[in-house]
Amino acid sequence: MDLSLTTRPEGGRTVVEVGGEIDVYTAPKLRETIVSLVDAGQYDLVIDLERVEFLDSTGLGVLVGGLKRVRTHDGSLSLVCTQERLLKIFRITGLTKVFEIHPDVASAI
């Protein structure tokens, strides 16, 4: 399975729609997208995980790294996720205390 990424501006933030699997093979593509957005001055990001089918520790690391990167610019990184299997990963790892997790893009913005 491959990773699909699309970005769009919405409500003063940049929404990154992610689809497919975020794993050791595809996570660098997500990392590059986040880095290039921050380098371009986009510091308020919404990562939409609704079409993500799989997320491993490498993917979690990319999300945490992205959060640290935007915070150095007083920015924010919110997640959109309603899938129980992904939410369970965030709960088990304690990342629900680190990330703002929203049920849809509208509430994240």
Side-chain angles (χ1 to χ4, degrees), residues 42 52 68 72 91 93 95:
Q42 304 295 317
V52 171
K68 288 179 181 177
T72 63
R91 280 195 295 273
T93 57
L95 291 174

PDB file of all heavy atoms in Angstrom, residues 42 52 68 72 91 93 95:
ATOM      1  N   GLN A  42       4.405  27.695   6.701  1.00  0.00           N
ATOM      2  CA  GLN A  42       3.105  27.172   7.145  1.00  0.00           C
ATOM      3  C   GLN A  42       3.305  26.526   8.521  1.00  0.00           C
ATOM      4  O   GLN A  42       3.841  25.430   8.619  1.00  0.00           O
ATOM      5  CB  GLN A  42       2.572  26.134   6.154  1.00  0.00           C
ATOM      6  CG  GLN A  42       2.458  26.622   4.732  1.00  0.00           C
ATOM      7  CD  GLN A  42       1.433  27.736   4.602  1.00  0.00           C
ATOM      8  OE1 GLN A  42       0.362  27.674   5.166  1.00  0.00           O
ATOM      9  NE2 GLN A  42       1.797  28.771   3.863  1.00  0.00           N
ATOM     10  N   VAL A  52      -6.318   6.941   6.576  1.00  0.00           N
ATOM     11  CA  VAL A  52      -5.145   6.135   6.914  1.00  0.00           C
ATOM     12  C   VAL A  52      -5.604   4.761   7.372  1.00  0.00           C
ATOM     13  O   VAL A  52      -6.471   4.636   8.237  1.00  0.00           O
ATOM     14  CB  VAL A  52      -4.299   6.831   8.010  1.00  0.00           C
ATOM     15  CG1 VAL A  52      -3.213   5.903   8.526  1.00  0.00           C
ATOM     16  CG2 VAL A  52      -3.696   8.109   7.466  1.00  0.00           C
ATOM     17  N   LYS A  68       6.875  19.127  17.044  1.00  0.00           N
ATOM     18  CA  LYS A  68       8.023  19.866  17.590  1.00  0.00           C
ATOM     19  C   LYS A  68       8.475  20.952  16.616  1.00  0.00           C
ATOM     20  O   LYS A  68       8.812  22.063  17.021  1.00  0.00           O
ATOM     21  CB  LYS A  68       9.184  18.904  17.868  1.00  0.00           C
ATOM     22  CG  LYS A  68       8.949  18.003  19.057  1.00  0.00           C
ATOM     23  CD  LYS A  68      10.130  17.075  19.261  1.00  0.00           C
ATOM     24  CE  LYS A  68       9.907  16.153  20.439  1.00  0.00           C
ATOM     25  NZ  LYS A  68      11.025  15.200  20.600  1.00  0.00           N
ATOM     26  N   THR A  72       8.357  25.217  17.344  1.00  0.00           N
ATOM     27  CA  THR A  72       9.512  26.121  17.393  1.00  0.00           C
ATOM     28  C   THR A  72       9.182  27.453  16.724  1.00  0.00           C
ATOM     29  O   THR A  72       9.890  28.430  16.928  1.00  0.00           O
ATOM     30  CB  THR A  72      10.763  25.507  16.731  1.00  0.00           C
ATOM     31  OG1 THR A  72      10.500  25.276  15.351  1.00  0.00           O
ATOM     32  CG2 THR A  72      11.185  24.221  17.413  1.00  0.00           C
ATOM     33  N   ARG A  91      -3.979   6.585  22.383  1.00  0.00           N
ATOM     34  CA  ARG A  91      -4.250   6.434  23.818  1.00  0.00           C
ATOM     35  C   ARG A  91      -3.165   5.602  24.503  1.00  0.00           C
ATOM     36  O   ARG A  91      -2.654   5.986  25.554  1.00  0.00           O
ATOM     37  CB  ARG A  91      -5.613   5.783  24.040  1.00  0.00           C
ATOM     38  CG  ARG A  91      -6.772   6.758  23.915  1.00  0.00           C
ATOM     39  CD  ARG A  91      -8.059   6.176  24.491  1.00  0.00           C
ATOM     40  NE  ARG A  91      -8.529   5.011  23.746  1.00  0.00           N
ATOM     41  CZ  ARG A  91      -9.320   5.056  22.679  1.00  0.00           C
ATOM     42  NH1 ARG A  91      -9.756   6.211  22.221  1.00  0.00           N
ATOM     43  NH2 ARG A  91      -9.698   3.953  22.071  1.00  0.00           N
ATOM     44  N   THR A  93      -0.095   5.064  23.701  1.00  0.00           N
ATOM     45  CA  THR A  93       1.203   5.738  23.732  1.00  0.00           C
ATOM     46  C   THR A  93       1.173   7.042  24.530  1.00  0.00           C
ATOM     47  O   THR A  93       2.216   7.670  24.720  1.00  0.00           O
ATOM     48  CB  THR A  93       1.681   6.056  22.301  1.00  0.00           C
ATOM     49  OG1 THR A  93       0.682   6.849  21.644  1.00  0.00           O
ATOM     50  CG2 THR A  93       1.947   4.794  21.513  1.00  0.00           C
ATOM     51  N   LEU A  95      -0.193   9.748  23.572  1.00  0.00           N
ATOM     52  CA  LEU A  95      -0.140  10.904  22.673  1.00  0.00           C
ATOM     53  C   LEU A  95      -1.446  11.683  22.611  1.00  0.00           C
ATOM     54  O   LEU A  95      -1.486  12.770  22.033  1.00  0.00           O
ATOM     55  CB  LEU A  95       0.302  10.458  21.273  1.00  0.00           C
ATOM     56  CG  LEU A  95       1.765  10.007  21.192  1.00  0.00           C
ATOM     57  CD1 LEU A  95       2.085   9.457  19.813  1.00  0.00           C
ATOM     58  CD2 LEU A  95       2.714  11.142  21.553  1.00  0.00           C
TER      59      LEU A  95
END
